[in-house]
């Protein structure tokens, strides 16, 4: 058994809005400090001699990890761990655990909320109603914005993990054809049935991103990738903002080459007011504020996953270790 004394949760308010049960988490260690948010210059003071850090989005770089004298376990209250220097943690003998498969229902319904909103022109018709166009119409319905059907569309998935696979299952139920991109990571196991990224981009009506943000995947969807996408194709990003070059995406939406985009994640977050994708003249862009994961059930599950990761480490059976 590994005896752990003290834990610090650096950004509890990003998970809990006083609607979650933290009893088990609080009981998992003798001493806890919970902080709603932590600014970069507050990190070291708050970490102190903690052996366990829980973070959703506070950055833990090599400098911070090196300066934490007793740190043994970092629990990401998230699946994505791009805010944590996992390599530095490994060198320092610190275990990093994440939360897996905790928000699958929430993220997948969000992917389809974005896709169906684009394909049905929901926003445009709601704006028409608010502007009085339905009441003023000479017929029972409005037909001003062309409506597609997802059935028959070809969906390209980039990132064949928990969320990519779950998205594919729902897509098939909608009558979509699914193609899966080869992983760019050369260490990945056999990739039969996968399609090279370039071909996937050129053959699909919808591209949905589900891979982690790493040095290799940063700006995976750049100017060249957007150019390869079919005219009128749709881009969905519920993974990480850094996967997409925002200036390039704004250009391809403005030019009409892309039919639309549904984006839940930007870089940085929160985005500055002058972020290229916050401009108000970009057509067919639906933005949501990183809420794909945020159903209450999923937020409770992420707390339960963190608790299980602490218990796993304490009983010498670390779980969900990020390699
Ligand atoms: N918006 C949200 O609310 C939200 C919620 C949960 C997760 N996420 C993001 O979604 C990502 C995926 O989550 P998941 O649960 O499916 O993770 P996962 O680890 O199960 O799947 C990720 C997959 O991406 C693959 N991959 C890695 N590098 C790749 C590359 N270069 N090219 C193609 N594929 C590559 C991996 O092999 C793996 O199969 C997370 O890393 C996180 O950043 C976002
Ligand atoms: O990676 C995740 O799990 C989401 O971004 C929520 O933190």
């Amino acid at each position: 058994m590994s005896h752990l004394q003290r834990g610090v949760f650096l950004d509890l308010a990003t998970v809990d809005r006083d609607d979650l049960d933290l009893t088990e988490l609080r009981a998992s260690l003798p001493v806890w400090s919970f902080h709603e948010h932590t600014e970069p210059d507050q990190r070291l003071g708050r970490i102190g001699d903690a052996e366990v850090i829980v973070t959703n989005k506070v950055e833990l770089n090599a400098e911070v990890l090196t300066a934490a004298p007793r740190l043994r376990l970092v629990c990401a209250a998230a699946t994505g761990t791009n805010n944590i220097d996992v390599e530095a943690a490994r060198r320092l003998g610190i275990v990093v655990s994440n939360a897996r498969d905790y928000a699958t229902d929430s993220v997948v319904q969000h992917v389809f909320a974005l896709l169906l909103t684009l394909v049905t022109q929901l926003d445009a018709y709601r704006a028409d109603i608010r502007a009085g166009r339905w009441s003023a119409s000479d017929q029972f319905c409005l037909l001003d914005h062309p409506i597609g059907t997802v059935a028959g569309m070809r969906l390209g998935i980039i990132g064949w993990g928990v969320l990519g696979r779950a998205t594919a299952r729902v897509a098939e139920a909608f009558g979509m054809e699914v193609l899966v991109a080869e992983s760019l990571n050369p260490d990945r196991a056999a990739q039969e049935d996968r399609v090279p990224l370039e071909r996937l981009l050129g053959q699909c009506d919808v591209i949905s991103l589900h891979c982690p943000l790493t040095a290799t995947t940063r700006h995976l969807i750049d100017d060249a990738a957007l150019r390869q996408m079919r005219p009128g194709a749709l881009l969905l990003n519920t993974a990480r903002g850094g996967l997409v070059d925002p200036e390039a995406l704004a250009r391809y939406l403005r030019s009409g080459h892309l039919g639309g985009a549904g984006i839940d994640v930007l870089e940085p977050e929160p985005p500055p007011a002058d972020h290229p994708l916050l401009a108000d003249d970009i057509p067919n862009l639906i933005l949501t504020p990183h809420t794909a994961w945020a159903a209450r059930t999923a937020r409770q599950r992420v707390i339960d996953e963190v608790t299980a990761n602490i218990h796993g480490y304490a009983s010498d059976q670390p779980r969900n270790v990020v390699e």
Side-chain angles (χ1 to χ4, degrees), residues 56-57 77-80 102 240 290 293:
N56 185 351
K57 293 290 175 281
T79 301
Y102 77 91
R240 282 294 181 266
H290 204 145
W293 67 293

Side-chain angles (χ1 to χ4, degrees), residues 164-186:
R165 288 166 202 246
T167 298
R169 282 195 293 276
V170 175
E172 280 167 354
F174 265 112
M176 300 179 84
E177 184 191 343
V178 175
L179 296 187
V180 182
E182 276 178 3
S183 172
L184 299 183
N185 185 336

Side-chain angles (χ1 to χ4, degrees), residues 79 159-163 183-184 188 210 212 217 238 240 264 290 293:
T79 301
W160 194 234
V162 170
L163 295 174
S183 172
L184 299 183
R188 296 287 155 201
H210 299 286
T217 59
T238 54
R240 282 294 181 266
D264 183 50
H290 204 145
W293 67 293

Side-chain angles (χ1 to χ4, degrees), residues 217-235:
T217 59
R218 176 166 295 283
H219 286 197
L220 179 69
I221 304 300
D222 59 5
D223 190 279
L226 291 163
R227 193 173 328 119
Q228 283 160 18
M229 285 177 67
R230 280 185 170 182
L234 307 175
L235 176 69

Side-chain angles (χ1 to χ4, degrees), residues 259-276:
I263 303 289
D264 183 50
V265 281
L266 292 178
E267 189 178 71
E269 289 172 345
D274 63 352
H275 188 285

Side-chain angles (χ1 to χ4, degrees), residues 6 8-11 35-48 53 58-60 64:
R6 189 176 160 237
V8 55
F9 199 138
L10 294 173
D11 52 357
H35 303 280
E36 301 278 282
H37 301 284
T38 296
E39 295 302 320
D41 61 355
Q42 296 174 314
R43 287 173 299 189
L44 289 181
R46 289 183 173 180
I47 292 166
I53 297 178
V58 175
E59 187 190 355
L60 297 179
V64 172

